[in-house]
Structures are given as C-alpha cells and as structure tokens.
Amino acid sequence: MTRKFPRTADFIIVGGGTSGLVLAHRLSEDPNTQVLVLESGKSIGDDPRVQNPSAWTTLLGPETAWQLATVPQPGLNNRVEMQFQGKALGGSSMINGSAFIAPSRAGIDTWSNLGNNRWTYEVLVPHYRAAHSVESPDPNTCKDMGIDLVSNIDPATTPKGPVQVSFPSLVKPHPVAKAWNEVFKGKGYNTTAELFPIQSAGNRCYTAAIDPQTQKRSSSDSQYGGPVSKRPNLTIATGATVLKIVLSGSSSEELTAEGVEAAIDGTIHAFMATKEVILAAGAFHTPKLLELSGVGERSRLQSLGIPAVIDNAGVGEHLQNHVMCMRTFELNDNVQAGDGIQSLAFLPLQDRAQQQMLFDTAMPTTDEEKDSYDAVRAVLDDPNEASCSMFMTFIGLPNFISLGVMQSIPFSRGGTHIASAEPDDNPRIDPQLFSNTLDLELMARHLLTLEKLPSTSPLSAYFKENGQRIPSEMTITDLQSAREYLRQNAVATHHSCGTAAMLPREKGGVVDQNLVVYGTRNLRVVDASIFPVIPQANPMSTVYAVAERAASLIKGGSE
C-alpha cells in the first residue's frame, strides 16, 4: 500500500536525526506552521538494544547505521576506519555510547574568532540549557569518591530541557574510580561533578544521556520527536531518502530552495517548501546532498556530470574528527568488574616548553592552514585548556580494564566528497588523520602518561603487577614506540564535523551566521557540518545546542 504524505510544507527537514528532531519539535510548536521531516531510516525506539545504553555496539549494523568508511589513512598505517552514522529516527543519538560531555568554553569561542561574532560560548549557554536536564549525584556518594559536588545552583539557570543527563558511574561507584580520582588529585586536579566547568583541564565525573530514573537511553527521538509526533502540523516520514535539493533562480542572485526530491518505497516524489529547506543529514550526507544538488566546487561537479549552480570549494572540506587509542590492562584477581566508563580527565601537556617548541616547528605554510592552526593553538597555549582526554572503562572482559586517550582539538583537516552522481553511492571520506604531525606528537606524549597510570598509587593497588596488556605484542617505553603504537592501534571516533563550515565565504565557509547556505535565500544547514572547530570530547551536547539556537533563529527571523 502506497504511503501518503503532504507534498507541501512550510519547512522541509532533511534528516530526522539528533538535530532534525529538535527542529521538528521546536518549529511545530506553532500550530500554524507545517513541518515535514524526511528520514531515510526507520523508528527503532522500541528496540531493547536502543533502550539499553550499554548495548550500543550491537546497533552498528546496516539496518540502523550508515556503513561509511574512510579511504586508507597513511597516518594510521593505511588502515581504513569505519564511520558509522545513525540511520534511524533520532540519528546517532540512538546508536552512540550516550556520552553527554560539555565542550571547552575556549574551544567554542574559536568559532567567534574565526569570523562568527554571534556564536560565542556565552551565546550558546542558554541553548545548552534548553536541551537538557541533569540530576545531581548523591552528596554522600560524592564525598566518599572525593568529588566536589556542585551546590547552590541558581534555579533560574538550572537546565530544564528534554534530554535527561545523569552520572551512570555513580549509580554503583567502583573503588578503582575512587583511586583514579585520588591519582589526579595528586596531579593538582580535583574531581568535579559540574557538567559545564569553567576550565576544560581537570578530572570530571562521566556524564551521559541516560535517564536517571529508568537507566534507559535519553535520545532525540524519545525526548524531542516522539512526544510531539502526533501534532497535526508535523509529519515525520521514515524510509524517505532525499536525493537532491531543487534550487531555482539565476546565478546572479540568491537561489531559492523550492523543495526536494525523495525516494519512498521505490518511487521518487517531489516535496515543496513554502519557507525553507533545512539540511540536518549529518557531517557526511549534508555535503553529499549539497554536491548532488550542484552546490560545491565547479570542476569537481562538472567532472561527474553535475551542473554547478553555486561554485563553492568549501563544501565537504574542513572535515575534523578525534582520534582515540585504547590500552587494556589486567587487574588483580580480587577486583570485581564494573560497567562502562568510570572516569574522565582532560589534560594539557605538562611540559609547556616542549609544547611551545613543537608548535613553533610546525608552522603552517598556507593562509587556509594558518587560520585553523592559529585557532587551535590559541586554545592549547592556555595551560588551563586540555589537549587530550583520558578515560577508564570496563569492557566486559573479566579481570581487565581499558584506559583510553583521545585528542581534544586536532590540527589535522580532511574532506568528504561524492565520487559519482549516483545518490546511492557512499561519499569518499578522507579525514587525513595525523596528517598534521602535531596531532601525533601531542598524543604520543599523552599516551606515555597513560601508560604510567596503572603503576601510580593508589591505582596500582588494583592493577596486577607485570600483568598482561592488550595488545600484548607492543610495548610503550618511549616516544618512538608510542608513535608506532598509535599508528597501529589508534582509531577514528564517530565525531566528524565541519564539512559545511560556518565561516566567511572567502575563508572556505559554506553557511553564514544564520546557517543559511551562501548563494541561497532559504537553504539552511543545522547539524555538526557547520562546526568551524570540533568541540573537545563527544560533540552530541553541542549538536543539541546548535539545533536549539537554529530553531530560535528561524522562529525569530534570523539576526
């Protein structure tokens, strides 16, 4: 039976993912506004694996995740890295590890420094608050674990948003996490339960989008899309894959996004927008759709037989992602296993003179490289800002625990572009991980620090002396062995962003400060593609905040 959907709406949202459902929720608050969401995936909210945050690795198959992959990465010994993206209502908020981590304030302020004076951390603060609520941990548990509990919070600024955030590692606090806190206190870092601390460097409690009452995943679908799905002015179509944006007008003026073409049940349908088309398809599919629609570098599009209606070489460029590396250690036989991530620390490089030397010997050679280099360096030059995060997690292997290190704000930049004019073909993704040597050098030094943690008291009381390490065939003893370990074992995270960057057009930007695509009147991008600089740690909290701000801009007529 053919499904029927309205062919015209005020707003067409391409992608019912993390940001798309925020927009659907907020824009449909006006009963006189018709909103249509077109989502390629299906509704999976009732799947027990989705509701259980610990089961997220079982959701990376083709039914619920886009099976995207990078080209071989020279910086990772030519390994190919999978880049899973959520293919379902709620997008990646349905299949990720649920981490809800605050960005660095200074990191977000780089957005303003790069030409977006209306996008500072302070501007985004109310939108972070609008997206989430957080239940403070038990004071007695915090005292026992050596955690500074945030108190006397002004009720006027207390977050009251839909996404439920909690402290999962404090539900059943583990003694090894307490030992971790004590180790970092000895390094000068107290452990805070503040979700959005003033400075990024320090030891934090792990926080996640998990409902504290039910212990179930709190997602964009469960908190934004689902509760309003029955609104008469909101239509959410699943199994609807957008193939291109229909643009009209002459090249001498701003083009109008008339609507989209989408495949539903094997048939191509046209949908018209009376106000706006909003791309919320994610860091890979948003630039893909722009290029398929004739927005991108003219020579690239023409080589694929696609007429270029807007010549913009920035589309698909500025791709950024974090690199992460794990090291697994054997615990003493009497240590009981815990569940998931236990601890989280954000650290600068301790040897500031060495960092200065590294930065001074790796100066960029082009103006475009200089802009991003200067932005990242301005953050990392501050000793209160972190160049990595470290974490400790149980992985389901008895008597073992993993320690991990992840970049904070990388210097390397890559790109993602269509390889053909066929909408079903995956894009060619090349993040160029470790292409900037500073990323490898900083991470190698942090990995050496990580390697010493199990032998540091009081953590050493829980780790087996001379115990097994996984992988066992590689030892880390100096910088060279740390570099080799990273090239062989580091992996790309699923934090990609920046591919339709909010930057001045002459600097490679794709959207302006209202998130409108340059050269168009009413085509907007609202997802991680617009991030000029990647947030430290997991970007989900910032995806929500950007979507909330975008909804305010749209409803308020932009700025």
Side-chain angles (χ1 to χ4, degrees):
M1 184 176 180
T2 302
R3 295 181 291 162
K4 294 184 178 180
F5 303 107
R7 296 304 176 87
T8 302
D10 294 311
F11 295 95
I12 295 177
I13 300 171
V14 180
T18 307
S19 58
L21 292 185
V22 174
L23 293 169
H25 183 113
R26 296 305 185 196
L27 296 181
S28 65
E29 287 174 338
D30 179 355
N32 296 315
T33 297
Q34 298 295 319
V35 180
L36 172 63
V37 179
L38 299 173
E39 166 57 42
S40 290
K42 59 186 180 181
S43 176
I44 62 172
D46 292 334
D47 190 325
R49 298 174 301 164
V50 172
Q51 296 176 12
N52 177 8
S54 298
W56 67 272
T57 57
T58 68
L59 295 165
L60 302 181
E63 287 192 0
T64 52
W66 293 99
Q67 303 296 293
L68 305 176
T70 70
V71 299
Q73 295 295 290
L76 299 181
N77 288 352
N78 288 316
R79 288 182 286 122
V80 170
E81 290 293 301
M82 293 303 296
Q83 290 289 272
F84 301 110
Q85 301 278 288
K87 186 181 180 182
L89 280 181
S92 292
S93 75
M94 305 295 282
I95 69 167
N96 63 17
S98 298
F100 194 97
I101 310 296
S104 156
R105 298 180 182 217
I108 294 298
D109 281 338
T110 61
W111 297 13
S112 175
N113 299 336
L114 285 168
N116 303 295
N117 63 331
R118 301 200 302 272
W119 287 80
T120 63
Y121 179 82
E122 288 304 318
V123 167
L124 272 180
V125 163
H127 303 291
Y128 282 108
R129 290 177 183 148
H132 80 281
S133 297
V134 59
E135 181 173 294
S136 297
D138 175 64
N140 292 328
T141 300
C142 288
K143 182 178 180 181
D144 181 65
M145 296 292 287
I147 298 168
D148 294 333
L149 180 64
V150 180
S151 58
N152 300 321
I153 298 175
D154 182 356
T157 62
T158 300
K160 298 180 178 67
V163 177
Q164 301 299 301
V165 177
S166 62
F167 297 77
S169 64
L170 296 182
V171 175
K172 295 179 180 179
H174 199 284
V176 73
K178 181 177 181 179
W180 170 287
N181 295 344
E182 292 174 0
V183 165
F184 281 94
K185 185 173 184 179
K187 295 177 180 291
Y189 298 113
N190 288 343
T191 303
T192 179
E194 186 174 1
L195 184 55
F196 286 78
I198 293 175
Q199 66 182 47
S200 74
N203 197 45
R204 301 189 202 173
C205 296
Y206 173 63
T207 46
I210 298 174
D211 189 301
Q213 305 305 319
T214 65
Q215 300 304 309
K216 293 181 179 180
R217 178 188 298 271
S218 186
S219 69
S220 186
D221 181 43
S222 67
Q223 306 307 114
Y224 278 100
V228 301
S229 61
K230 301 300 183 183
R231 284 177 179 169
N233 61 324
L234 172 62
T235 301
I236 300 176
T238 56
T241 302
V242 173
L243 308 177
K244 67 177 294 187
I245 304 137
V246 179
L247 296 164
S248 68
S250 67
S251 57
S252 61
E253 60 186 23
E254 289 183 337
L255 302 184
T256 297
E258 301 283 358
V260 302
E261 292 179 1
I264 302 177
D265 300 329
T267 303
I268 297 177
H269 301 272
F271 297 92
M272 309 307 290
T274 61
K275 291 185 178 180
E276 292 190 18
V277 173
I278 305 171
L279 281 175
F284 299 123
H285 286 103
T286 283
K288 172 184 172 180
L289 280 170
L290 286 171
E291 290 183 329
L292 288 172
S293 306
V295 181
E297 185 178 38
R298 184 179 301 278
S299 60
R300 184 190 310 278
L301 300 183
Q302 289 179 338
S303 70
L304 299 174
I306 300 173
V309 296
I310 297 175
D311 184 10
N312 189 333
V315 174
E317 292 297 300
H318 302 288
L319 173 60
Q320 301 157 61
N321 197 4
H322 294 127
V323 172
M324 177 179 74
C325 194
M326 306 282 285
R327 190 80 161 136
T328 301
F329 298 84
E330 188 175 7
L331 297 170
N332 287 327
D333 294 339
N334 62 344
V335 178
Q336 297 294 315
D339 183 32
I341 296 177
Q342 297 293 311
S343 307
L344 183 65
F346 290 86
L347 303 175
L349 201 63
Q350 293 301 308
D351 191 332
R352 306 305 294 174
Q354 188 177 72
Q355 177 171 292
Q356 179 84 19
M357 180 193 68
L358 287 172
F359 287 177
D360 289 345
T361 56
M363 299 293 286
T365 57
T366 68
D367 289 343
E368 185 175 345
E369 290 176 342
K370 186 176 186 302
D371 287 339
S372 60
Y373 168 87
D374 288 346
V376 176
R377 179 169 181 175
V379 176
L380 301 188
D381 272 342
D382 185 339
N384 292 317
E385 294 296 324
S387 52
C388 88
S389 59
M390 294 184 184
F391 57 94
M392 180 170 61
T393 180
F394 288 99
I395 57 173
L397 195 62
N399 291 110
F400 283 88
I401 197 168
S402 290
L403 306 186
V405 60
M406 186 174 75
Q407 294 169 315
S408 174
I409 306 177
F411 286 90
S412 299
R413 299 288 185 272
T416 175
H417 298 283
I418 56 174
S420 79
E422 294 297 322
D424 290 339
D425 291 348
N426 283 341
R428 183 182 186 276
I429 301 170
D430 185 8
Q432 299 185 34
L433 303 171
F434 285 155
S435 59
N436 189 310
T437 57
L438 286 175
D439 291 335
L440 180 63
E441 292 301 322
L442 288 171
M443 202 166 178
R445 286 160 174 79
H446 286 303
L447 183 60
L448 284 173
T449 298
L450 185 85
E451 186 74 6
K452 297 173 183 176
L453 287 178
S455 59
T456 304
S457 179
L459 268 176
S460 56
Y462 298 91
F463 287 76
K464 182 171 289 188
E465 189 174 0
N466 299 317
Q468 184 179 352
R469 284 170 165 78
I470 302 174
S472 58
E473 66 274 11
M474 298 188 73
T475 57
I476 301 173
T477 57
D478 54 20
L479 273 175
Q480 185 55 33
S481 59
R483 295 185 192 104
E484 292 173 359
Y485 186 91
L486 288 167
R487 291 192 188 100
Q488 185 60 35
N489 296 284
V491 298
T493 62
H494 306 309
H495 302 167
S496 293
C497 64
T499 51
M502 178 175 58
L503 290 168
R505 189 167 184 176
E506 65 273 14
K507 298 289 188 179
V510 177
V511 301
D512 63 18
Q513 293 194 65
N514 290 317
L515 309 183
V516 175
V517 175
Y518 288 117
T520 76
R521 183 181 63 82
N522 65 334
L523 176 59
R524 228 179 275 248
V525 176
V526 183
D527 58 31
S529 302
I530 69 97
F531 295 178
V533 175
I534 191 171
Q536 72 172 18
N538 309 69
M540 184 166 67
S541 66
T542 301
V543 172
Y544 279 120
V546 166
E548 286 279 5
R549 174 151 163 74
S552 296
L553 289 172
I554 295 167
K555 294 167 76 172
S558 297
E559 295 176 351

